[in-house]
Amino acid sequence: MKHPVLPFALASLPPVLFLTIGTFNGGLWLWAAALYTSFFAFGLDEALAMASRDGAPGSTERAANRLSVVLALAHLALIPLGVATVSGATGLGMLEQVLAFFGFGLFFGQVSNSNAHELIHRSQKALFGLGKWVYISMLYGHHTTAHRLLHHAHVATPLDPNFPPKGRSFYAYFPRGWVRSFTRGYAVERARAARAGRMNPYVEYVGGALAFVLVLWLAFGGAGVLAYLGLCFYAQSQLAMVDYLQHYGLARRKRPDGSYEPQTIHHSWNSPHWFSSHMMVNASRHSDHHANPGRVYPALRLPEDMPVLPYSLPAMGIIALIPPLWFKLMDKRVDKVLARMEAA
């Protein structure tokens, strides 16, 4: 019987090979890296059958964690390779530098982000720390706090800085969510640090980010820093896009006493597409993740009556970049889910 973690490895690891060889050889390797997480992923999602609704049977946590560690270490190794390639330090031409930007950026934004998200939900200190440093390496360390202590606690309410209400475009959502998740997360951690008598983790988030910038500046100069900042921004925008896609408009009702109704599987959008789900370590099974944040990714399920996006996450991300098209496609679907919840 095929191991349940094997499809995740087969879907998520090939870009590591393409990008590593492409750093030094360019050409078709960088084309493969850029196309793999974009057009190739979309094509396979459309061609293959939908994934099974059931999670993996039995205990897969150890194997799943091993793959997450491999992906995280590969990400940290790819950071200097990506900066070197995009900045021109490896001697590739302009077209190859552009391909490298999209190849590395798409891997960081779709695979590394999804994998780091898994790691910061693990209870083991070493795994959690590895996920945190993946986020720090993308200059997004505060997401470690904002996701766990704000998003999961207040999902689908205005108290969640990353909740996109119906009618808000991604362009309005992204900068607002970035700033509010940083500042609100800092306030939460400052209070926790004062109570516990420990260092605020924002020292690590900001200090670690500055350390990455300094090291890459020393290694690759100003062009390297610009390449690094561009790759980080691109990766951050993709993480924000996934949050936008998975929660757009599905607000929890506010009760007369000011509290909000309990979170249910109806407050997250899901995608059942086989390939992108495996490439992004089941980030698309979002309803079950919110119901069971500690459940390891191969075991996540697709509830029968969950809200489902009409296309896979990568395809929906492209549509969301065109707000009139996004609103036309999604607002009526939001209304139907909310009406169903109202009637329940």
Side-chain angles (χ1 to χ4, degrees):
M1 178 180 175
K2 184 170 63 175
H3 195 283
V5 176
L6 182 60
F8 294 96
L10 293 176
S12 62
L13 286 173
V16 177
L17 176 66
F18 301 155
L19 292 167
T20 301
I21 300 177
T23 293
F24 305 101
N25 294 282
L28 292 177
W29 294 103
L30 292 178
W31 277 105
L35 294 174
Y36 185 89
T37 47
S38 54
F39 292 101
F40 182 74
F42 174 75
L44 282 186
D45 277 336
E46 293 300 308
L48 297 176
M50 297 298 179
S52 168
R53 292 183 177 273
D54 299 324
S59 175
T60 60
E61 184 169 357
R62 182 174 297 179
N65 287 342
R66 282 200 295 265
L67 176 59
S68 284
V69 169
V70 169
L71 286 170
L73 294 177
H75 164 86
L76 294 172
L78 287 174
I79 288 283
L81 293 184
V83 171
T85 310
V86 175
S87 67
T90 60
L92 299 181
M94 181 61 69
L95 175 59
E96 290 172 315
Q97 289 174 252
V98 172
L99 289 171
F101 177 82
F102 285 104
F104 280 95
L106 285 166
F107 179 80
F108 295 159
Q110 296 188 35
V111 181
S112 295
N113 272 327
S114 299
N115 185 57
H117 165 259
E118 276 296 313
L119 287 167
I120 63 170
H121 279 290
R122 301 279 74 81
S123 58
Q124 298 95 320
K125 188 175 181 179
L127 295 177
F128 172 83
L130 187 56
K132 174 183 65 178
W133 276 97
V134 169
Y135 279 131
I136 290 173
S137 76
M138 293 185 283
L139 309 184
Y140 215 38
H142 68 275
H143 188 73
T144 308
T145 290
H147 179 79
R148 295 177 304 112
L149 304 183
L150 294 173
H151 179 64
H152 272 271
H154 304 297
V155 64
T157 76
L159 299 176
D160 173 12
N162 289 309
F163 174 63
K166 178 185 169 186
R168 180 172 294 162
S169 73
F170 175 72
Y171 301 105
Y173 163 82
F174 179 29
R176 182 178 185 274
W178 201 107
V179 171
R180 286 161 67 91
S181 64
F182 186 95
T183 56
R184 291 187 181 184
Y186 176 78
V188 168
E189 291 289 16
R190 182 177 58 185
R192 295 177 81 216
R195 289 195 300 270
R198 59 169 174 77
M199 183 182 73
N200 188 326
Y202 269 65
V203 174
E204 200 171 8
Y205 302 158
V206 176
L210 292 175
F212 269 98
V213 172
L214 176 61
V215 168
L216 291 169
W217 176 69
L218 292 173
F220 304 109
V225 171
L226 289 177
Y228 180 51
L229 294 178
L231 286 168
C232 289
F233 176 80
Y234 189 33
Q236 291 174 16
S237 69
Q238 291 174 80
L239 186 155
M241 176 62 81
V242 170
D243 279 343
Y244 181 81
L245 300 177
Q246 292 178 329
H247 292 287
Y248 177 76
L250 300 183
R252 287 153 63 185
R253 287 174 292 184
K254 194 171 186 178
R255 293 164 166 166
D257 64 359
S259 65
Y260 291 91
E261 66 180 349
Q263 177 195 164
T264 72
I265 63 169
H266 302 292
H267 293 109
S268 301
W269 292 102
N270 301 268
S271 173
H273 297 82
W274 190 94
F275 184 77
S276 58
S277 294
H278 285 87
M279 183 180 72
M280 299 173 70
V281 293
N282 265 349
S284 56
R285 299 191 172 202
H286 211 56
S287 289
D288 194 27
H289 168 68
H290 271 277
N292 303 280
R295 181 170 286 167
V296 70
Y297 60 87
L300 291 172
R301 301 161 186 161
L302 291 167
E304 283 286 347
D305 55 347
M306 63 179 178
V308 176
L309 293 168
Y311 303 105
S312 64
L313 285 177
M316 293 301 295
I318 298 298
I319 295 171
L321 294 175
I322 310 170
L325 181 59
W326 170 261
F327 296 143
K328 182 177 180 180
L329 181 67
M330 289 302 298
D331 283 3
K332 59 186 178 182
R333 288 177 165 84
V334 169
D335 292 340
K336 288 180 180 179
V337 174
L338 295 178
R340 189 162 68 243
M341 286 192 286
E342 188 77 29

